[in-house]
Amino acid sequence: MNTDTLTLQDIISESLKNSMTYAEYRELVIKLVEEKSTTGNDKTDALVEYTLLNDRRMRRWDKTAKVSDAMKTKIESIDKKVTWLVISESWCGDAAHIMPIINKVAELNDAIDYKIVLRDENEALMDQFLTNGGKSIPKLIMLDSETNAVLGTFGPRPTVATKMVQDYKAEHGMLTPEFKEDLQRWYNKDKGQSLIEDLVNLLK
């Protein structure tokens, strides 16, 4: 298929056909861990190791993530049918913290349809939703479920984490392994609450 002649609507429709549910995504990651493999075009040992680590992270968040009563009320009050189409890969550290929380929110309202596609298998879609020119993931595209019109986007990180990354890059020029560890600690401490706030704002 020649992606040059496709409209954004065509690309979105095609991606939705390739999409999977969160439960299917989790099954895929578990299978990849058993096979010592990973999603994506690069099957390096490092990315295989990240997939293993991320499976553990997602398992933990699937069990422990909580949505406050105040946020639940806001989420449950949304009656417009939307699709949250998320671009990800199994090796992505941010995605492992974010995707289970998105699932917790989507489970609270039948009007939210949560779908996932893999970045390297959906290049045309990824190219439409770059972050500062880069293919950063996870990327959530909120669509009107009836028309597939784009209503908004989120990602690759919660607003608070994005500011942390920007401030660090401005000061140091790049993200160091030490900073990445600090970011993981922030995710663990925040417990998805900043992300839930961002998602509720997106739904508004």
Side-chain angles (χ1 to χ4, degrees):
M1 187 185 294
N2 182 4
T3 54
D4 294 340
T5 58
L6 293 178
T7 65
L8 178 57
Q9 285 291 301
D10 292 335
I11 292 167
I12 287 169
S13 297
E14 197 58 33
S15 299
L16 284 168
K17 282 182 205 163
N18 297 333
S19 69
M20 60 189 119
T21 63
Y22 180 69
E24 288 167 338
Y25 179 76
R26 289 296 293 115
E27 282 172 20
L28 171 64
V29 174
I30 290 164
K31 186 165 172 279
L32 288 167
V33 168
E34 286 169 1
E35 295 169 353
K36 295 185 171 56
S37 189
T38 180
T39 63
N41 293 337
D42 298 323
K43 311 285 186 190
T44 63
D45 289 345
L47 294 185
V48 168
E49 191 59 35
Y50 289 141
T51 292
L52 172 67
L53 182 61
N54 288 341
D55 176 48
R56 288 183 196 142
R57 283 175 178 150
M58 286 189 282
R59 201 171 299 209
R60 187 176 76 242
W61 289 128
D62 286 336
K63 283 182 187 166
T64 63
K66 299 275 190 294
V67 182
S68 70
D69 290 340
M71 286 299 179
K72 262 184 201 167
T73 304
K74 288 179 183 179
I75 295 157
E76 288 165 354
S77 71
I78 304 293
D79 56 6
K80 182 176 177 58
K81 287 190 181 295
V82 296
T83 300
W84 280 352
L85 180 59
V86 177
I87 308 171
S88 186
E89 293 286 357
S90 66
W91 47 259
C92 175
D94 290 295
H97 291 290
I98 288 169
M99 293 172 74
I101 311 296
I102 294 174
N103 186 54
K104 293 283 181 186
V105 172
E107 281 181 334
L108 293 171
N109 193 325
D110 290 341
I112 304 169
D113 189 15
Y114 180 20
K115 298 289 188 188
I116 298 160
V117 291
L118 300 175
R119 184 188 73 176
D120 293 355
E121 292 176 10
N122 294 269
E123 279 187 75
L125 182 70
M126 184 75 257
D127 287 343
Q128 296 291 327
F129 294 96
L130 303 176
T131 304
N132 302 323
K135 298 184 177 187
S136 301
I137 50 174
K139 191 79 172 190
L140 185 158
I141 306 150
M142 186 162 80
L143 307 167
D144 180 313
S145 290
E146 288 175 16
T147 65
N148 285 346
V150 178
L151 303 175
T153 62
F154 161 86
R157 297 181 184 93
T159 307
V160 179
T162 298
K163 187 172 186 322
M164 285 168 63
V165 168
Q166 287 169 344
D167 290 351
Y168 195 88
K169 270 188 180 171
E171 192 178 337
H172 302 276
M174 61 177 286
L175 299 183
T176 61
E178 291 76 19
F179 173 80
K180 288 176 182 175
E181 282 180 26
D182 286 344
L183 188 60
Q184 297 303 327
R185 279 193 283 271
W186 176 84
Y187 274 119
N188 290 334
K189 194 176 171 188
D190 184 71
K191 296 183 165 55
Q193 298 314 299
S194 296
L195 170 57
I196 293 166
E197 225 168 281
D198 282 345
L199 292 173
V200 167
N201 288 332
L202 186 66
L203 284 166
K204 285 178 189 169

